[in-house]
Amino acid sequence: MAVDLKLSFTVVTIATAALVSSPQPAALAVPSDSGPLEQFDYETRYFRQKIDHFGFADNATFNQRYLIAYKYWNHNGGPILFYTGNEGDITWFCNNTGFMWEVSKELEAMLVFAEHRYYGESLPFGNKSFSNLKNLNYFTSEQALADFAVLIRNLKQTIPGAQSSPVIAIGGSYGGMLAAWFRMKYPNIVVGALAASAPIWLFENLSPCEGFYNIVTNDFLKSGKGCSESIKNSWDAINKLSSTAEGLNFLSHTFHLCSPLQATDVTFFKSWLSNTWVNLAMVDYPYEANFLQPLPAWPIKVICTFLQNPSLPAESLLQNIFKAVNIYYNYTGNVACLNISQTATSSLDDQGWDYQTCTEMVMPSCSDGINDMFEPMPWDLQSFSDNCKKDWGLRPRPQWITTVYGGKNISSHSNIVFSNGGLDPWASGGVTKSISDTLIAILIPEGAHHLDLRSSNKEDPVSVQKARALEVKYFKKWIEQAKI
Amino acid sequence: MAVDLKLSFTVVTIATAALVSSPQPAALAVPSDSGPLEQFDYETRYFRQKIDHFGFADNATFNQRYLIAYKYWNHNGGPILFYTGNEGDITWFCNNTGFMWEVSKELEAMLVFAEHRYYGESLPFGNKSFSNLKNLNYFTSEQALADFAVLIRNLKQTIPGAQSSPVIAIGGSYGGMLAAWFRMKYPNIVVGALAASAPIWLFENLSPCEGFYNIVTNDFLKSGKGCSESIKNSWDAINKLSSTAEGLNFLSHTFHLCSPLQATDVTFFKSWLSNTWVNLAMVDYPYEANFLQPLPAWPIKVICTFLQNPSLPAESLLQNIFKAVNIYYNYTGNVACLNISQTATSSLDDQGWDYQTCTEMVMPSCSDGINDMFEPMPWDLQSFSDNCKKDWGLRPRPQWITTVYGGKNISSHSNIVFSNGGLDPWASGGVTKSISDTLIAILIPEGAHHLDLRSSNKEDPVSVQKARALEVKYFKKWIEQAKI
């Protein structure tokens, strides 16, 4: 499970050389659950950004994409809700952040969704952006925050009526970390931030490394009798079967794999399964949704109906495991075969995030196989770093994020709401207790990954309704403060 | 007076091609007034810093010099007073910051003086550091702050007893700006900051551009009858005389210039005089001192004794002007001739600061010749930028500092004391009114440039004694807060 060392917000399996297959069609990225699309009526614009905010040798620029909507905006200094784009196409985040659209009317707010450099269309060196380390050198969270700051200053300088508009940063997941860090580093630019499902404490030794997989396990444990136990037992079953050619053949057929499983792929196959369970924990939403994949309401519960008997013989157990993962990969029933090099929407950029985990975003994770349903996987920084050296020709700096963004020592900051879902594995590195009366933690026990940022739904648990109401209350408070 | 467009903390005249003269002996840099040197007993150490904290393409390092003293340090978590080095050799700042040495005993504090990259011995590319824009690319305040943060984390991790030591940033002038910005950007690293004579608001349009020269003028106006008026009248006298070969000859002889004055040098000559007046305003200390040059107590008063009659004919007026500047350049009586390409100690690095003013540190200044004693000089960003393009091959980014460090919108920060001297022209861009009960302004009416950072002296005005006492009071408060 070496590839799991690189925690990803979508845990997209990284293709190894042995496994490279023909390109797959992009996963469905059109949101099915975000309300009518006409509601999300934005203009696409581009802003000329400096490629290097922190050096002067080169004055080169690139076009940063951003989406803007001002249907409900009060042109006389109304607030701006600013989405701090994360690791993917900004239109995808825009269409999956219905919360911002819904509150824009009440707050008379302008909406801006800014794309993160090196993702989507915002490529500093076009299709050469990932060609070499030199071109990749400006791919950091600090540069991204500087992009946001410079863009906001420009918007306020150029849009009539926006000069004194208070700006609130909003983001989910890595975008939530950026929102929080943006408020910490640029309190002159944003009056406050909503950091949804932002694991800002999943770095260095700030949180126990086993937390992430413990939450995933717990989600399955609570969703059906025998469920997590079945998954725990599946690893030995796979190990046993994959030791023979006949067993490999059985696995390939049982799992409807697009390419026959080789002995050398078994670790990768198990990693793909693990990542599937992790992704399910992230998107265990109370209604039918299509965030990473089209899925039924409470998908883990659905899956667990197939995993009630952990004591079955290897073959039967794995046939059930297939039925379970098939819900995740083929809920629509249109998928001909399963491709173990893909686990999530193609709107998220695995390559970009992989680079970021190999530079700044080192988030230790581990499993022990006892308190969780995964195979034991200790955290091994050296091996993690060696893999980065192999893959990218560089080594990560695991102490940097805690140095530059404060680690646990953030109490001197203000006006940040950290929201976390109780079902979300990323909550293991989140701020789940309020730090002060301006650094607020909101817990959504029935929530998965940033459920609060999604459009409201009649199946929403009360906890997320309350969370959203509280978030809006803080927005209003920050906007009021800014007027003083 | 085009060269004056680049405000420098020591306003060192920049040599033009026409004026390049043989290298001058270094100005005296040994502090004569900092108390016995044995008091300043430090170890010199070096720390391996990343050249680029904000990119990963290159993992190259350089040795950052720092000075450390722990004679009085409480080895059980005693505080660390950390000088955020500015534009010069760190030993010079160390030896001119007696205040830190004096309070180290009372606070049982360790002292650390960290050299700023690209100055002194801390050259990222050795003697090639200034060879090309590529090597200069890591010469920014953000990289310098990151150096400080990484160094402090390392000290706390490696010095037994320092793990929980609260760290206070202290700096004067540009070092004071760095101290303030350090607390703003890294409140996890430093519990508070003393920013002495730090003109953090001398950027963009945050302060009136005429403020700087108004204060200089006022210093001379108050120091003797006819004094500022004499200087104001001197420009026309120079213009008149320099229009003839005979007059140029008169000026060369009268001012004991090392090289005869050419018609093409006259602007530069006037700029050198202007800079001399500015430097005098900065070091108008109440006792004999040697900061930029060896000088008597209240040097402007001494100088003004020669400038009591502004109505003299041009020749006599300029003979008096010479007597005045001769106090500044030749108080010791050992100087054979005056060199108009040098105005201050060689411990400050003009070249480095010039680069910084052409990149981040754009501080608009202007004079109108009516409310000040200088020739009219409007602020002209375009011409400033064109000069930078000519000198360095790059253009400044005048909006960047206010974007990244907050401009006037800094009220959400905490634990910074801004001290300013009423005689100091840099106070025109300083924080001279408290912003909150944790962002404190201290005014020292009789103080020149960061007088409070100097060793105590029996001639110290009461205002600086009180300022230092208040500063120590805040240090103790921050140290106490850190224990909670």
Side-chain angles (χ1 to χ4, degrees):
Chain A
M1 300 203 348
V3 289
D4 268 351
L5 286 167
K6 291 175 181 173
L7 271 196
S8 154
F9 289 102
T10 52
V11 202
V12 177
T13 308
I14 312 302
T16 64
L19 266 169
V20 169
S21 52
S22 55
Q24 291 296 304
L28 290 170
V30 180
S32 64
D33 62 307
S34 311
L37 265 180
E38 51 275 23
Q39 185 189 335
F40 297 163
D41 189 16
Y42 54 76
E43 287 173 25
T44 303
R45 294 185 187 173
Y46 297 85
F47 178 69
R48 187 177 275 221
Q49 284 284 6
K50 296 245 181 296
I51 290 179
D52 189 4
H53 293 288
F54 302 104
F56 290 76
D58 194 341
N59 232 6
T61 58
F62 72 102
N63 281 332
Q64 178 183 23
R65 178 168 58 160
Y66 66 100
L67 316 178
I68 186 165
Y70 40 81
K71 185 175 173 187
Y72 299 116
W73 184 52
N74 179 338
H75 284 62
N76 188 15
I80 299 171
L81 304 183
F82 186 93
Y83 189 91
T84 49
N86 32 321
E87 73 282 21
D89 185 306
I90 192 62
T91 62
W92 186 70
F93 296 110
C94 174
N95 287 322
N96 277 284
T97 311
F99 170 68
M100 282 171 67
W101 293 90
E102 292 182 359
V103 302
S104 65
K105 191 171 181 180
E106 180 179 357
L107 298 176
E108 299 184 328
M110 185 194 299
L111 301 182
V112 176
F113 298 83
E115 195 160 63
H116 190 299
R117 52 168 60 202
Y118 290 86
Y119 292 104
E121 294 184 6
S122 302
L123 302 173
F125 299 93
N127 60 13
K128 298 232 170 6
S129 296
F130 284 76
S131 298
N132 55 58
L133 287 184
K134 195 174 152 289
N135 286 1
L136 280 161
N137 197 45
Y138 312 98
F139 190 2
T140 64
S141 59
E142 292 86 354
Q143 298 274 11
L145 294 183
D147 287 340
F148 298 151
V150 171
L151 171 59
I152 289 173
R153 269 200 78 165
N154 180 269
L155 294 177
K156 295 178 77 163
Q157 284 170 351
T158 56
I159 298 177
Q163 200 179 352
S164 61
S165 289
V167 184
I168 293 172
I170 298 176
S173 200
Y174 169 49
M177 306 204 292
L178 292 171
W181 294 337
F182 196 29
R183 169 64 189 171
M184 294 180 197
K185 291 293 187 184
Y186 295 86
N188 51 313
I189 304 283
V190 287
V191 299
L194 169 58
S197 297
I200 63 165
W201 287 347
L202 214 56
F203 295 89
E204 250 192 299
N205 53 358
L206 301 182
S207 301
C209 70
E210 63 271 18
F212 188 89
Y213 289 106
N214 281 352
I215 293 180
V216 179
T217 301
N218 210 35
D219 290 350
F220 285 82
L221 186 71
K222 290 187 305 186
S223 296
K225 193 169 157 287
C227 193
S228 65
E229 198 69 13
S230 294
I231 293 170
K232 187 184 267 183
N233 291 349
S234 71
W235 312 117
D236 273 352
I238 295 168
N239 291 340
K240 185 183 149 203
L241 284 172
S242 62
S243 64
T244 67
E246 202 184 349
L248 286 169
N249 199 29
F250 172 84
L251 290 170
S252 299
H253 280 89
T254 299
F255 280 85
H256 294 60
L257 298 187
C258 300
S259 313
L261 196 65
Q262 311 295 321
T264 49
D265 302 340
V266 174
T267 301
F268 196 79
F269 174 68
K270 289 189 289 188
S271 166
W272 173 74
L273 283 174
S274 294
N275 293 342
T276 306
W277 311 133
V278 167
N279 281 0
L280 278 159
M282 280 171 59
V283 296
D284 197 20
Y285 295 132
Y287 46 81
E288 196 169 72
N290 174 14
F291 185 56
L292 303 179
Q293 295 276 8
L295 286 173
W298 295 120
I300 296 184
K301 269 195 191 133
V302 176
I303 273 171
C304 285
T305 59
F306 301 107
L307 303 174
Q308 299 184 37
N309 188 349
S311 312
L312 290 172
E315 286 83 354
S316 317
L317 182 68
L318 292 173
Q319 281 163 341
N320 287 343
I321 293 281
F322 165 71
K323 289 175 195 161
V325 297
N326 199 44
I327 292 289
Y328 182 77
Y329 289 107
N330 194 14
Y331 180 56
T332 59
N334 298 326
V335 175
C337 62
L338 302 194
N339 175 354
I340 67 172
S341 66
Q342 184 114 35
T343 60
T345 170
S346 64
S347 293
L348 286 171
D349 181 343
D350 342 337
Q351 188 192 18
W353 183 250
D354 193 62
Y355 176 85
Q356 292 199 267
T357 62
C358 273
T359 48
E360 296 186 297
M361 303 299 159
V362 184
M363 298 187 274
S365 70
C366 62
S367 55
D368 63 10
I370 299 163
N371 298 300
D372 56 65
M373 66 186 194
F374 297 91
E375 284 193 301
M377 175 190 66
W379 169 248
D380 181 348
L381 178 60
Q382 187 58 52
S383 121
F384 180 88
S385 176
D386 291 346
N387 280 334
C388 290
K389 185 73 183 166
K390 189 159 57 71
D391 295 346
W392 291 99
L394 44 69
R395 291 190 181 277
R397 298 179 190 160
Q399 286 207 335
W400 175 240
I401 287 288
T402 54
T403 300
V404 73
Y405 297 122
K408 292 231 166 170
N409 190 352
I410 58 173
S411 61
S412 69
H413 300 290
S414 62
N415 292 7
I416 307 175
V417 167
F418 298 94
S419 65
N420 278 286
L423 307 178
D424 181 15
W426 297 101
S428 60
V431 179
T432 52
K433 281 182 190 159
S434 293
I435 295 169
S436 70
D437 57 359
T438 67
L439 294 176
I440 307 295
I442 296 180
L443 225 52
I444 306 162
E446 299 86 2
H449 203 42
H450 49 69
L451 174 62
D452 48 336
L453 290 191
R454 302 181 66 75
S455 296
S456 57
N457 187 294
K458 61 182 167 42
E459 303 298 334
D460 275 334
V462 173
S463 61
V464 77
Q465 295 170 17
K466 283 187 175 169
R468 291 191 188 118
L470 197 52
E471 286 159 9
V472 172
K473 198 187 110 186
Y474 279 104
F475 292 174
K476 289 180 180 170
K477 187 176 168 187
W478 300 335
I479 292 165
E480 276 309 307
Q481 284 174 349
K483 287 185 188 156
I484 299 166
Chain B
M1 294 198 2
V3 291
D4 268 351
L5 287 167
K6 292 175 183 173
L7 272 194
S8 154
F9 289 104
T10 52
V11 203
V12 177
T13 307
I14 312 303
T16 64
L19 265 168
V20 168
S21 54
S22 55
Q24 290 298 305
L28 288 170
V30 180
S32 65
D33 62 308
S34 311
L37 263 181
E38 51 275 24
Q39 183 190 336
F40 297 163
D41 189 15
Y42 54 77
E43 287 174 24
T44 302
R45 293 185 187 172
Y46 298 85
F47 179 69
R48 188 177 276 220
Q49 285 284 6
K50 296 245 181 295
I51 290 180
D52 188 5
H53 292 286
F54 302 104
F56 290 76
D58 193 340
N59 231 5
T61 59
F62 73 101
N63 280 332
Q64 178 183 24
R65 178 167 59 159
Y66 66 99
L67 317 178
I68 186 166
Y70 41 81
K71 184 174 174 188
Y72 299 115
W73 185 52
N74 178 339
H75 285 61
N76 188 15
I80 299 172
L81 303 183
F82 186 92
Y83 189 91
T84 48
N86 32 322
E87 73 282 22
D89 185 307
I90 192 61
T91 62
W92 186 69
F93 295 109
C94 174
N95 287 324
N96 276 285
T97 311
F99 170 67
M100 282 172 65
W101 292 89
E102 291 183 2
V103 301
S104 65
K105 191 170 182 180
E106 179 178 356
L107 298 176
E108 298 184 329
M110 183 193 299
L111 301 182
V112 177
F113 297 83
E115 194 159 65
H116 191 298
R117 54 168 59 202
Y118 290 87
Y119 291 105
E121 294 184 6
S122 301
L123 301 173
F125 299 93
N127 60 13
K128 299 233 171 4
S129 296
F130 284 75
S131 297
N132 55 58
L133 287 185
K134 195 174 152 287
N135 286 1
L136 280 162
N137 197 46
Y138 313 98
F139 189 3
T140 64
S141 59
E142 293 85 354
Q143 297 274 11
L145 294 183
D147 287 341
F148 297 151
V150 170
L151 171 59
I152 289 173
R153 269 200 78 164
N154 179 270
L155 294 177
K156 293 179 77 164
Q157 283 170 351
T158 57
I159 298 177
Q163 201 179 352
S164 61
S165 289
V167 183
I168 293 171
I170 298 176
S173 200
Y174 170 49
M177 305 204 291
L178 292 171
W181 294 336
F182 196 29
R183 168 63 188 171
M184 294 181 199
K185 292 293 186 184
Y186 295 87
N188 51 313
I189 304 285
V190 287
V191 300
L194 169 58
S197 298
I200 63 164
W201 287 346
L202 214 55
F203 295 89
E204 249 190 301
N205 54 359
L206 301 181
S207 301
C209 70
E210 64 270 20
F212 188 89
Y213 290 107
N214 281 352
I215 294 181
V216 178
T217 301
N218 210 34
D219 290 350
F220 285 82
L221 186 72
K222 291 187 305 186
S223 295
K225 193 169 154 288
C227 192
S228 64
E229 200 68 14
S230 294
I231 293 171
K232 188 185 269 186
N233 291 348
S234 72
W235 313 117
D236 274 351
I238 294 169
N239 292 340
K240 185 183 150 202
L241 284 171
S242 61
S243 63
T244 67
E246 201 185 346
L248 286 168
N249 197 30
F250 171 84
L251 290 170
S252 300
H253 280 91
T254 300
F255 281 86
H256 293 61
L257 300 186
C258 301
S259 314
L261 195 64
Q262 310 296 320
T264 49
D265 303 339
V266 174
T267 301
F268 196 80
F269 173 69
K270 289 189 289 186
S271 166
W272 171 74
L273 282 175
S274 294
N275 294 341
T276 307
W277 310 134
V278 167
N279 281 0
L280 277 160
M282 281 172 58
V283 296
D284 196 22
Y285 296 132
Y287 45 83
E288 195 170 73
N290 174 14
F291 185 55
L292 303 178
Q293 296 274 9
L295 286 173
W298 297 118
I300 296 184
K301 268 193 193 136
V302 176
I303 274 171
C304 285
T305 59
F306 301 107
L307 303 174
Q308 299 183 37
N309 189 351
S311 312
L312 290 173
E315 288 82 354
S316 317
L317 183 67
L318 292 173
Q319 281 165 339
N320 287 343
I321 293 282
F322 165 71
K323 288 177 195 158
V325 298
N326 200 43
I327 293 289
Y328 181 78
Y329 290 106
N330 193 16
Y331 181 56
T332 60
N334 298 326
V335 176
C337 62
L338 302 194
N339 176 355
I340 67 173
S341 66
Q342 184 114 36
T343 61
T345 171
S346 64
S347 294
L348 285 171
D349 180 343
D350 344 335
Q351 189 191 18
W353 183 250
D354 193 61
Y355 176 85
Q356 293 200 267
T357 62
C358 274
T359 49
E360 297 186 297
M361 304 299 160
V362 184
M363 297 187 275
S365 70
C366 63
S367 55
D368 63 9
I370 299 163
N371 298 300
D372 56 65
M373 65 187 194
F374 297 91
E375 284 192 302
M377 175 189 67
W379 170 247
D380 180 347
L381 178 59
Q382 188 57 52
S383 121
F384 181 88
S385 177
D386 290 346
N387 280 333
C388 290
K389 185 73 185 168
K390 189 160 57 73
D391 293 347
W392 292 98
L394 43 69
R395 292 192 181 275
R397 299 180 190 159
Q399 286 208 333
W400 175 240
I401 287 287
T402 54
T403 301
V404 74
Y405 298 123
K408 290 231 165 168
N409 191 350
I410 58 172
S411 60
S412 69
H413 300 290
S414 62
N415 291 7
I416 306 175
V417 166
F418 298 93
S419 65
N420 278 286
L423 307 178
D424 182 15
W426 297 101
S428 59
V431 179
T432 51
K433 281 182 189 160
S434 293
I435 296 170
S436 70
D437 57 358
T438 67
L439 294 176
I440 307 295
I442 297 180
L443 225 51
I444 307 161
E446 299 86 3
H449 204 42
H450 49 70
L451 174 62
D452 48 336
L453 291 190
R454 302 183 65 77
S455 296
S456 58
N457 188 294
K458 62 181 168 39
E459 303 299 333
D460 275 332
V462 174
S463 62
V464 77
Q465 295 172 17
K466 283 187 175 168
R468 291 191 186 117
L470 197 53
E471 287 160 7
V472 172
K473 199 186 110 188
Y474 279 103
F475 292 175
K476 288 180 179 169
K477 188 177 167 188
W478 300 334
I479 292 165
E480 275 309 307
Q481 283 173 348
K483 286 185 187 155
I484 299 166

